[in-house]
Amino acid sequence: MEKTQRLQRYKDRVCLVTASSTGIGKAVATRFAEEGATVIINSRKKENVDPVVKELTDRGLKAVAYPANVSNDKERQAMVAFIKEKYGKLDVLIPNAAINLHFGRTLDTSPSQFDKTISVNLKSVFLLVQECHELLTKGTKPAVLLIASYLAYQGENFLGIYAMTKTALLGLNKVLARELQEDGIRVNCLAPGLIKTTFSKDLWDGREREAVDNLKLRRLGTVDDIANATSFLCCEDADYIVGETIMVGGMITQRL
């Protein structure tokens, strides 16, 4: 869908979406660009972010590449410094980067796998919000959206530590929402269900019919489903939604 067919809810806004060269991150960044934002496209490697920026700018959208490993302090802090120097503010922050290094019995997770998963999925999220705080206070109706998962609520065989980090984000959302609302920064969390991406392939590849049978909507989620929710939660239309975790999962799980 072309930019002219979207509401321009993010005109003159600056948005950082980490891990935005593929999958959910790319779809979310694309939606913000279509709605008028300047988006910073981030991934670890330059060769991954440059094609996305070209794809967007060829459509007349605003996008800038910044390759950085968000779990590397120097690289992450350099990215924040770049945003400060170039734009002087940040309106939307979506720390989307996440990894899963072990697919199997949770107690078979190695210490290095455990530490690295915590570093990327949880610690880097906290540090990025911390380091972007000043820039967000200078933004217009600034918003932070954490990306958890349906696994935060029900776990999953073979994805124990990954699921644990996503559960931790639910708690981080609650405490940050309370604290940062005093600075005019709105914090929420989004929990995708089973979205058909390369990252989630181990959960649906070869057993898609079984997976779909567990969903009331009888289909796997798409990255556009997540982009739809994300663009709403970070705009003024959602001003009275704070500290919530929104499940986008085709009724994959129910909560009281």
Side-chain angles (χ1 to χ4, degrees), residues 9-10 28 31-32 35 94 145 147 186 188-192 222-235 238 241 246-249:
R9 296 183 291 189
Y10 294 97
V28 168
R31 176 61 57 85
F32 280 107
E35 293 201 28
I94 303 179
L145 186 64
I147 305 297
R186 199 163 49 85
N188 284 293
C189 185
L190 188 145
T222 70
V223 293
D224 285 338
D225 291 320
I226 304 304
N228 291 338
T230 301
S231 62
F232 164 69
L233 286 170
C234 294
C235 80
I241 301 175
I246 307 298
M247 175 76 73
V248 183

Side-chain angles (χ1 to χ4, degrees), residues 97-98 116-128 164-170 172:
K116 183 64 175 176
T117 305
I118 293 289
S119 178
V120 175
N121 296 9
L122 181 59
K123 184 180 178 180
S124 76
V125 172
F126 168 75
L127 292 175
L128 194 56
M164 182 191 72
T165 62
K166 293 303 184 177
T167 304
L169 290 180
L170 306 185
L172 183 62

Side-chain angles (χ1 to χ4, degrees), residues 175-240:
V175 296
L176 289 181
R178 285 182 177 275
E179 293 182 8
L180 297 189
Q181 66 179 343
E182 298 175 3
D183 302 320
I185 302 168
R186 199 163 49 85
V187 181
N188 284 293
C189 185
L190 188 145
L194 186 51
I195 308 302
K196 195 171 183 179
T197 64
T198 301
F199 183 83
S200 66
K201 190 175 181 179
D202 286 338
L203 295 176
W204 56 263
D205 189 34
R207 57 189 186 105
E208 188 168 343
R209 180 179 295 276
E210 176 188 347
V212 168
D213 284 344
N214 291 325
L215 300 172
K216 300 301 182 184
L217 295 185
R218 291 294 184 260
R219 68 172 175 86
L220 295 182
T222 70
V223 293
D224 285 338
D225 291 320
I226 304 304
N228 291 338
T230 301
S231 62
F232 164 69
L233 286 170
C234 294
C235 80
E236 285 92 333
D237 292 340
D239 261 358
Y240 207 57

